[in-house]
Amino acid sequence: MAAVRALVVSRLLAASSFAPLHASTARAALHSSAPRPGARVALVLSGCGVYDGTELHEASAVLVHLSRGGAEVQIFAPDIPQMHVVDHTKGQPSESETRNVLTESARIARGKITDLARLSADNHDAAIFPGGFGAAKNLSTFAVDGKDCKVNEDVERVLKEFHKAGKPIGLCCIAPVLAAKVLRGVEVTVGHEQEEGGKWPYAGTAEAIKALGAKHCVKGVTISFPAARVAVAGGTGDLSSGPWGLPWAGSLLN
């Protein structure tokens, strides 16, 4: 892990969009709370609530670590209806309810949120997509259609814009399926490919990623790796390996 952290720190120091880091160790550089001019990061949400929107723990963890890293964050979500509304006390759909993804995401953003249609890679240094079923239900149709899914047109546009510009894209939890569908040949991770007694309950997602034509890289909770050409993927669960000290569950594309 020391080598991994050193790699990440060297990448940050080399990037012109980041101020120099003066921490004495790689760990201090990744987790320092000292304010400094930061990157402009777009956080893309998919609603509010793990079963029909954004996973709040992941979104909160990303925001905390971006704040510690001195990043300037702007939050976005598509102005579209949710696929459905889930009663989180029961884990079941509420048939009579309808909600809007932008409106629900505003709960997490404390109202300071922008329509995803207005997000441009020209104005940001990175984009991050937290997980939650909203990535598979609202940002795409993966939850229903699997490998034959469609991705929201603005989500697809944003992924392609940032990828073409060579800017980092962070994808947490289930969100790597978005890149797998949109970016041909991309390398991503959602962890392991076997359930291993329930340790990886959604391991089957890895097979869908392969079916989409992407490469799935098996990674543990605290592992990140450099991959030539297309992707640098962070391990599932531990966000400490990512840029700006991000703890994530998923992949970083660059």
Side-chain angles (χ1 to χ4, degrees):
M1 285 302 295
V4 170
R5 290 192 176 98
L7 170 65
V8 174
V9 172
S10 67
R11 284 165 56 83
L12 293 182
L13 289 172
S16 61
S17 59
F18 296 93
L21 304 178
H22 300 293
S24 58
T25 67
R27 184 175 183 83
L30 283 173
H31 296 282
S32 172
S33 295
R36 58 181 181 269
R40 298 165 298 170
V41 181
L43 186 69
V44 181
L45 303 183
S46 60
C48 182
V50 61
Y51 297 129
D52 58 11
T54 302
E55 213 294 333
L56 273 73
H57 293 203
E58 293 176 12
S60 297
V62 169
L63 286 166
V64 166
H65 282 74
L66 287 173
S67 177
R68 288 178 178 175
E72 178 186 337
V73 180
Q74 187 174 3
I75 303 177
F76 296 84
D79 186 5
I80 57 174
Q82 290 186 183
M83 187 190 93
H84 63 183
V85 177
V86 173
D87 181 339
H88 280 59
T89 66
K90 301 176 181 178
Q92 297 176 352
S94 299
E95 300 297 340
S96 62
E97 284 192 69
T98 59
R99 298 189 184 185
N100 177 278
V101 174
L102 180 64
T103 302
E104 290 300 295
S105 298
R107 295 175 181 272
I108 301 173
R110 295 183 172 181
K112 193 174 182 180
I113 195 164
T114 304
D115 187 344
L116 184 61
R118 296 174 59 186
L119 172 55
S120 170
D122 292 338
N123 301 323
H124 295 81
D125 300 304
I128 298 177
F129 293 73
F133 282 87
K137 293 179 177 180
N138 304 327
L139 303 189
S140 72
T141 64
F142 181 80
V144 175
D145 300 323
K147 67 180 181 62
D148 297 317
C149 68
K150 295 181 180 178
V151 174
N152 172 273
E153 61 181 16
D154 280 315
V155 172
E156 179 173 354
R157 174 185 58 79
V158 166
L159 288 170
K160 288 181 176 179
E161 281 185 9
F162 277 84
H163 187 256
K164 183 178 180 180
K167 295 181 176 182
I169 304 169
L171 300 147
C172 306
C173 192
I174 191 66
V177 301
L178 302 173
K181 178 67 175 182
V182 169
L183 304 175
R184 184 177 297 276
V186 72
E187 297 179 9
V188 296
T189 183
V190 290
H192 287 205
E193 296 179 357
Q194 303 296 324
E195 290 192 11
E196 300 178 19
K199 183 179 179 180
W200 301 90
Y202 303 109
T205 303
E207 294 304 315
I209 284 173
K210 294 177 186 177
L212 288 168
K215 178 180 179 180
H216 182 260
C217 302
V218 176
K219 295 295 167 184
V221 171
T222 59
I223 300 172
S224 40
F225 71 102
R229 295 175 55 202
V230 180
V232 174
T236 308
D238 175 22
L239 301 177
S240 64
S241 304
W244 318 291
L246 278 180
W248 59 43
S251 302
L252 168 69
L253 310 183
N254 190 358

